[in-house]
Amino acid sequence: MASAAFVSKSEVLRCFKNITGQSPFEYLKNYRLRNAAYMIKNTSDSINAICGLCGFDDHSYFFKSL
């Protein structure tokens, strides 16, 4: 993002946090958790499958994040 906008990484992080209230990492994790919650409620997929589909390669990290 920084190189595309011709600004420093720290400026991107600062702006992102000012707009969203979260770091890009926190935002992505919460986005993935919202998708996982939706899939748990609305599909018959297993929790293990949902973890992978939502970008959580480490199942224990997924469960800690809930």
Side-chain angles (χ1 to χ4, degrees), residues 12-65:
V12 169
L13 294 175
R14 187 187 67 74
C15 290
F16 194 94
K17 184 144 188 164
N18 283 342
I19 293 168
T20 66
Q22 301 173 322
S23 71
F25 179 77
E26 292 169 321
Y27 183 88
L28 179 59
K29 182 177 84 169
N30 289 327
Y31 174 81
R32 289 174 172 173
L33 287 170
R34 283 192 306 274
N35 283 340
Y38 175 85
M39 292 178 75
I40 289 168
K41 289 181 184 178
N42 296 295
T43 71
S44 60
D45 293 343
S46 71
I47 297 293
N48 287 337
I50 291 171
C51 287
L53 291 169
C54 292
F56 289 95
D57 296 330
D58 183 351
H59 295 102
S60 63
Y61 178 71
F62 172 75
F63 290 113
K64 288 178 192 175
S65 298

